Amino acid sequence: PKPFEFILGQGNLIQAWEQGMMGFREGGIREITVPAEFGFGKEGMDGKVAPDAAIVYELELLKTGEPTTTKPGAKKSRRILYRIKKDN
């Protein structure tokens, strides 16, 4: 899978990921389980995620660094590059 980059703390991710990334260190691998109510809920997602299904992600944190841009008024946060190892 292609690595994905985001800035933690700016609301670009679902809340479960924002919380699950706290304390994550470079080179680490972490499993994050997103309950249905915090993921795709009763609707699911286009045949890829069943209705009312939890989603399990295994993430590898590749690199952190200073963000290149931030939203006005956002607290200082870290740029994070990660790869999804698997998702169910």
Side-chain angles (χ1 to χ4, degrees):
K2 183 178 176 183
F4 175 74
E5 186 175 324
F6 65 93
I7 299 175
L8 187 64
Q10 291 196 340
N12 298 326
L13 302 173
I14 60 174
Q15 191 62 32
W17 277 42
E18 290 276 353
Q19 292 175 4
M21 291 290 177
M22 302 304 280
F24 206 178
R25 298 186 188 276
E26 277 188 25
I29 295 175
R30 182 174 285 184
E31 186 173 280
I32 296 176
T33 301
V34 180
E37 60 269 22
F38 297 117
F40 295 98
K42 295 182 186 299
E43 296 80 32
M45 185 182 87
D46 301 327
K48 295 179 183 178
V49 178
D52 294 318
I55 306 168
V56 179
Y57 296 95
E58 185 178 282
L59 306 174
E60 176 185 10
L61 183 58
L62 302 175
K63 184 176 181 180
T64 63
E66 294 302 318
T68 54
T69 61
T70 57
K71 291 181 181 178
K75 62 183 178 184
K76 186 173 174 82
S77 56
R78 303 288 286 178
R79 183 173 57 92
I80 298 175
L81 181 65
Y82 75 95
R83 176 180 297 124
I84 298 175
K85 302 285 278 186
K86 68 175 180 174
D87 61 81
N88 298 355

